[in-house]
Amino acid sequence: MWGALAAPRGHPAPPCLLPVTWLLALHTGLLAGVNITSPTPLVRGTAGKAALLSVRYTSASADKPVVKWQLKRDKPVTVVQSIGTEIIGNLRPDYRDRIRVLENGSLLISPLQLADEGAYEVEVSITDDTFTGEKTINLTVDIPISKPQVLVASSTVLELSEFFTLNCSHENGTKPTYTWLKDGRPLSNDSRLLLSPDQKILTITRVLMADDDIYSCLVENPISHGRSVPVKLTVYRRSSLYIILSTGGIFLLVTLVTVCACWKPSK
């Protein structure tokens, strides 16, 4: 209807042809809409603790805003709706007693659950749906990393052995990433050093004397990190002397056993 009454291009429409809501908006300055800001687009939360999705809005209207928070899924989930800080309607059972809307439209969730992770969209409306502001904040929820440790079958290995495996283990922590350290520094690229797909297990193939060192693992996630106690790997040289000593030792042991078996105490 208003398209039929629109003024020719380049000529302002007479006031009588403008919708009443537009005239009110022009008078009050609401055509600028609702402006929403947030100090950060990403909030990293810890399971069991509180998370504040902080926003602030500005509007020329003195009316209380209608605030709506949604969790983006394949089908958006309404978290809460409120007029000002007063929640309207019934909260979903999984949000009951965990949700508060603050004066500035911010959302407080406490205590956090792992299922709370996702992208949250807030919509703030003032009087007329025409004047609405929106903002999206991403929330991650994690469990802190517990103290990791390096597990080895043995702390010693013979030079040129086929392989040696170190396993980085920890009890708790979500989204872990693993970094292996040798003498406190990240491992250099070496075709003999093989990592499992999740980088949790380090395998050293064809062990060399240069592998004789101190090893540790660093485990990190978005909210925490942990470093294991260093483990000393001792590499023994496979040499002619080692073989001679080993062979000689076996020969000596066999000789002693034979002598003991044949010896009879004198009467």
Side-chain angles (χ1 to χ4, degrees), residues 95-116:
Y95 289 124
R96 231 167 261 161
D97 302 320
R98 297 198 303 122
I99 297 293
R100 282 181 58 197
V101 179
L102 306 184
E103 287 285 350
N104 55 12
S106 298
L107 178 66
L108 179 66
I109 307 175
S110 178
L112 279 176
Q113 300 176 0
L114 291 177
D116 293 328

Side-chain angles (χ1 to χ4, degrees), residues 85-253:
T85 60
E86 183 180 349
I87 295 176
I88 55 178
N90 296 320
L91 291 174
R92 294 166 58 96
D94 46 333
Y95 289 124
R96 231 167 261 161
D97 302 320
R98 297 198 303 122
I99 297 293
R100 282 181 58 197
V101 179
L102 306 184
E103 287 285 350
N104 55 12
S106 298
L107 178 66
L108 179 66
I109 307 175
S110 178
L112 279 176
Q113 300 176 0
L114 291 177
D116 293 328
E117 181 169 288
Y120 287 76
E121 183 181 78
V122 60
E123 180 182 288
V124 179
S125 303
I126 307 291
T127 307
D128 191 318
D129 288 341
T130 306
F131 313 115
T132 299
E134 296 178 351
K135 198 74 175 178
T136 298
I137 298 177
N138 290 292
L139 171 66
T140 64
V141 183
D142 286 288
I143 296 172
I145 297 293
S146 58
K147 180 74 173 179
Q149 59 178 330
V150 176
L151 305 178
V152 293
S154 171
S155 60
T156 61
V157 65
L158 188 63
E159 181 188 24
L160 303 182
S161 296
E162 290 187 4
F163 65 88
F164 186 84
T165 299
L166 301 94
N167 189 340
C168 186
S169 175
H170 61 99
E171 291 185 1
N172 300 314
T174 50
K175 307 187 193 79
T177 59
Y178 302 88
T179 303
W180 283 96
L181 307 174
K182 179 181 180 181
D183 193 23
R185 294 183 292 273
L187 292 175
S188 56
N189 290 330
D190 190 324
S191 59
R192 295 184 306 105
L193 305 180
L194 306 178
L195 292 172
S196 60
D198 59 5
Q199 300 191 329
K200 186 177 181 179
I201 299 174
L202 169 65
T203 300
I204 305 175
T205 60
R206 193 172 172 78
V207 179
L208 303 178
M209 291 302 300
D211 298 322
D212 187 300
D213 215 318
I214 296 173
Y215 295 83
S216 59
C217 68
L218 175 66
V219 187
E220 302 172 281
N221 74 0
I223 61 170
S224 64
H225 66 274
R227 185 169 172 173
S228 71
V229 174
V231 170
K232 177 67 170 71
L233 173 61
T234 301
V235 181
Y236 288 102
R237 188 178 298 280
R238 187 190 295 269
S239 61
S240 299
L241 178 60
Y242 177 87
I243 296 173
I244 291 171
L245 290 175
S246 299
T247 306
I250 294 172
F251 175 77
L252 179 60
L253 178 61

Side-chain angles (χ1 to χ4, degrees), residues 58-81:
T58 57
S59 170
S61 174
D63 293 341
K64 287 185 177 182
V66 176
V67 181
K68 181 179 181 180
W69 281 92
Q70 285 188 314
L71 177 56
K72 291 185 176 180
R73 294 281 191 257
D74 292 335
K75 183 178 180 181
V77 175
T78 298
V79 177
V80 65
Q81 286 183 289

